[in-house]
Amino acid sequence: MDKINDKYSRQLLFWPEGKESQIKLRKKVVTIIGIGALGTALANHLVRAGVGEVRLVDRDFVEESNLQRQMLFDEKDALEHLPKAVAAHNKLTAINSLVKIRSYIEDINASNIEDIVEGSHLILDGTDNMMTRYLINDVSVKLNIPWIYGGVVHSRGMTTTIIPNKTPCFRCLFPDVETGHAETCDTVGVLSTVVHVIASYQATEALKLLIEDHSFIREEMIQLDIWKNDFDLFPFQLSFNHDCPCCQKSDFKFLSNVSTNLVSSLCGRNAIQVTPINSKEITFSDFHKKWAKLGSVKQTPYLLRLTYEEYHLSLFKNGRLLVQGTSDITIARRLYSTLVGD
Ligand SMILES: [Zn+2]
């Protein structure tokens, strides 16, 4: 207990119930989906604050272009193509060894999200795409787990807290599923400072929920532009949809959409990801031998990378393949079938 007093002394002074609040925090499990810009900032805050268990879910590996804003990674992680969930795990364990950290090198989708978030008290959005947010929203409403949305692009950011049966859900707020080419960090860039403002709002709301201090939970969606100094609040009262298919009618269409998650283009990145319906057990050494005849191969404990024709391919242990260098789904399917097998 002395260690706790010492480690969290500045926080204990702040908490409404002092040590009691800290004990509540220590009993909580939080899942962070997406360990990029927002996700690394969120994980950093929650692990330092002393949440009991933090689960990190990310499908990608660290690249040089991440380092401008993804504050848990460094050049060595990028050089080693370390999966973000692993690189973050390493840093966070060094930051606070009292927190249990579990990492998942997974593409979150309808077939695995329920298992991953099961037992969580809160889900935090560190993703960069709307479809995953609709999926998180479905699982949140279905399993009655609050989640905190956060989105950043350019110098703009948005965040809101979604508590099932209490606030509007994400589909109340954004009823039209966006399928068009919205602006993304990969097409219009992103300023690292706006990431941290939004992540700080998310993490603060998270702490209020986790220590069970509901008196100051925000009842508005925040939208801001840190460069242009704009700040807007949208009150929830205007946003409830009493015909919402998700929170009113329990139609969890994104959660039942298992088969369409197979091939996904990574928005604005000129990359396609192919995920087998049933995960496979890949033995890297077998593929290393086969692939070495086709191009230059690099093996890490977590993935196998091949440069083949004009593409960079990364194969993960569960059979997932990331194809960089194309946005054409047919090409990605062909490469999967040729190089991994059906
Ligand atoms: Zn709703």
Side-chain angles (χ1 to χ4, degrees), residues 68-89:
Q68 161 251 359
R69 66 200 177 284
Q70 303 188 11
M71 303 265 177
L72 287 176
F73 308 137
D74 57 37
E75 290 183 348
K76 190 162 174 276
D77 299 327
L79 213 67
E80 292 175 2
H81 301 294
L82 217 53
K84 291 183 181 180
V86 174
H89 188 292

Side-chain angles (χ1 to χ4, degrees), residues 137 141 167-173 241 244-248:
N137 189 61
V141 174
T167 69
C169 83
F170 195 68
R171 282 178 80 185
C172 290
L173 298 168
N241 172 7
C244 175
C246 180
C247 67
Q248 299 301 314

Side-chain angles (χ1 to χ4, degrees), residues 40-319:
T40 50
L42 291 167
N44 210 338
H45 283 297
L46 294 192
V47 167
R48 286 178 194 272
V51 172
E53 178 179 321
V54 176
R55 298 180 188 164
L56 312 169
V57 191
D58 196 282
R59 64 187 176 191
D60 232 328
F61 50 83
V62 182
E63 292 174 283
E64 192 81 14
S65 66
N66 301 149
L67 305 182
Q68 161 251 359
R69 66 200 177 284
Q70 303 188 11
M71 303 265 177
L72 287 176
F73 308 137
D74 57 37
E75 290 183 348
K76 190 162 174 276
D77 299 327
L79 213 67
E80 292 175 2
H81 301 294
L82 217 53
K84 291 183 181 180
V86 174
H89 188 292
N90 296 346
K91 300 278 162 43
L92 294 166
T93 307
I95 288 167
N96 190 348
S97 57
L98 297 179
V99 177
K100 181 177 178 188
I101 295 161
R102 291 168 68 174
S103 30
Y104 301 81
I105 311 169
E106 300 262 8
D107 174 44
I108 198 97
N109 56 45
S111 59
N112 62 13
I113 190 166
E114 286 190 63
D115 286 342
I116 291 174
V117 304
E118 200 197 357
S120 301
H121 299 89
L122 180 66
I123 303 169
L124 294 179
D125 171 24
T127 67
D128 57 2
N129 73 86
M130 293 298 273
M131 295 312 283
T132 309
R133 292 180 180 126
Y134 286 114
L135 183 67
I136 294 173
N137 189 61
D138 270 7
V139 85
S140 148
V141 174
K142 185 179 175 190
L143 303 182
N144 195 23
I145 303 172
W147 74 283
I148 302 176
Y149 156 62
V152 285
V153 67
H154 203 248
S155 54
R156 300 183 297 276
M158 238 188 200
T159 177
T160 197
T161 303
I162 291 164
I163 305 175
N165 304 314
K166 206 169 170 190
T167 69
C169 83
F170 195 68
R171 282 178 80 185
C172 290
L173 298 168
F174 301 99
D176 298 319
V177 177
E178 285 182 33
T179 51
H181 297 286
E183 288 182 332
T184 72
C185 299
D186 300 296
T187 57
V188 297
V190 62
L191 201 61
S192 80
T193 52
V194 73
V195 170
H196 285 257
V197 172
I198 293 298
S200 292
Y201 274 111
Q202 285 179 283
T204 307
E205 291 296 293
L207 292 172
K208 293 178 203 171
L209 287 171
L210 297 169
I211 65 159
E212 299 164 21
D213 180 5
H214 291 254
S215 36
F216 294 103
I217 294 289
R218 210 176 343 94
E219 295 184 339
E220 303 98 1
M221 179 161 68
I222 291 180
Q223 192 177 342
L224 58 86
D225 186 319
I226 198 170
W227 200 258
K228 294 182 181 165
N229 309 311
D230 290 336
F231 186 94
D232 290 302
L233 291 172
F234 299 94
F236 280 165
Q237 299 92 288
L238 308 172
S239 310
F240 275 107
N241 172 7
H242 298 287
D243 290 319
C244 175
C246 180
C247 67
Q248 299 301 314
K249 298 177 178 165
S250 301
D251 169 17
F252 304 121
K253 75 170 184 180
F254 298 92
L255 210 45
S256 51
N257 210 1
V258 176
S259 59
T260 59
N261 282 315
L262 264 181
V263 179
S264 52
S265 64
L266 304 185
C267 192
R269 273 192 55 189
N270 196 29
I272 303 271
Q273 175 174 258
V274 186
T275 312
I277 301 174
N278 301 310
S279 70
K280 304 177 176 208
E281 190 63 44
I282 297 287
T283 309
F284 284 158
S285 53
D286 296 348
F287 279 88
H288 198 150
K289 253 184 256 164
K290 274 194 271 179
W291 283 9
K293 295 170 193 153
L294 304 171
S296 99
V297 185
K298 193 177 166 194
Q299 186 176 335
T300 82
Y302 311 100
L303 57 89
L304 194 65
R305 251 172 96 77
L306 167 69
T307 304
Y308 175 68
E309 298 173 351
E310 65 266 46
Y311 311 107
H312 293 290
L313 301 118
S314 302
L315 178 65
F316 294 84
K317 277 188 177 154
N318 60 1

